[in-house]
Amino acid sequence: MLASFIARKFADRARGLVRGYPSTYIGRRVVLRSRGNLTLGGQTSIGTLVTIDALSRSGVHLGSQVTIDQNAVLRGSGVIRHLGEGIRIGSRTSIGAFNVILGQGGIEIGADCLLGPNVTVVSENHLYTKMGVPIREQGEVRIPTRIGNDVWIGAGVVVLGGSSIGDGAVIAAGAVVRGDIPANAIAGGVPARVLGSRGDA
């Protein structure tokens, strides 16, 4: 098993080299779009079937040693007619399998964060108040979304547009975050509310 793992890593590194990212590990069937707007830090690892579309005003920037697990999607814009702001992810952060991160309004994720599988982070809301007009035709509101440093986000969490999660916070699996979560808080539920603090005895 160890030999098989090492062989896969060599193959991933070779794919990174061939695609112009010599210090990056790139898995099979990875899609990288708008590469002129994409920055990958050293020792970044991108898993199989990941899609990164960096088309946006500020691009998609990954710090050093960022890990993106299989089938994750990072998209800087939703549509070409209205470019999004983009995505910035700090060093040593791990993006889980099947994560969806949509940077229309701008998303910043700090360093040393852990995002479990099936996490969704958005930065845009649809307008819907006009009856008789399809929601898709009523436009959008784009709101920056921020996740601080050293944050652990459990499996299946949804972080809605405009939310801000403070440094060191823990978000329980399945929560829906809407609004602000203080630093070092433990939060959970739908919508998420503070349940305690990491400093509690």
Side-chain angles (χ1 to χ4, degrees), residues 126-141:
H126 289 280
L127 300 173
Y128 57 87
T129 56
K130 297 177 183 176
M131 301 301 294
V133 178
I135 292 171
R136 64 178 297 158
E137 295 178 7
Q138 294 189 40
E140 309 88 20
V141 176

Side-chain angles (χ1 to χ4, degrees), residues 40-44 62-67 89-93:
L40 301 180
Q43 305 301 312
T44 296
L62 308 183
S64 62
Q65 300 179 53
V66 168
T67 300
I89 299 175
S91 297
R92 299 173 303 279
T93 283

Side-chain angles (χ1 to χ4, degrees), residues 9-201:
K9 282 298 180 183
F10 269 113
D12 290 352
R13 191 61 173 264
R15 272 188 288 269
L17 181 62
V18 167
R19 298 182 73 165
Y21 300 101
S23 65
T24 298
Y25 298 85
I26 297 180
R28 294 177 296 106
R29 298 168 65 187
V30 167
V31 176
L32 302 176
R33 296 193 179 107
S34 300
R35 288 178 50 177
N37 291 336
L38 176 62
T39 303
L40 301 180
Q43 305 301 312
T44 296
S45 180
I46 301 174
T48 299
L49 292 167
V50 167
T51 296
I52 303 176
D53 188 341
L55 180 65
S56 53
R57 297 177 188 276
S58 300
V60 172
H61 303 278
L62 308 183
S64 62
Q65 300 179 53
V66 168
T67 300
I68 302 177
D69 207 345
Q70 66 182 35
N71 292 93
V73 175
L74 283 70
R75 188 166 289 137
S77 296
V79 291
I80 294 176
R81 63 177 168 75
H82 190 185
L83 288 182
E85 293 301 320
I87 300 166
R88 183 173 293 273
I89 299 175
S91 297
R92 299 173 303 279
T93 283
S94 296
I95 304 298
F98 296 93
N99 278 203
V100 176
I101 301 176
L102 304 178
Q104 293 96 323
I107 289 175
E108 179 182 351
I109 301 174
D112 298 304
C113 293
L114 298 170
L115 278 67
N118 296 297
V119 168
T120 299
V121 184
V122 299
S123 55
E124 177 181 85
N125 292 326
H126 289 280
L127 300 173
Y128 57 87
T129 56
K130 297 177 183 176
M131 301 301 294
V133 178
I135 292 171
R136 64 178 297 158
E137 295 178 7
Q138 294 189 40
E140 309 88 20
V141 176
R142 293 182 166 180
I143 321 171
T145 302
R146 181 185 179 277
I147 297 170
N149 300 309
D150 189 29
V151 172
W152 176 22
I153 297 181
V157 168
V158 177
V159 180
L160 298 177
S163 296
S164 180
I165 300 175
D167 295 349
V170 175
I171 311 299
V176 176
V177 177
R178 180 180 145 196
D180 295 346
I181 302 294
N184 299 313
I186 299 170
V190 181
R193 61 185 182 87
V194 175
L195 305 174
S197 172
R198 290 175 60 195
D200 293 344

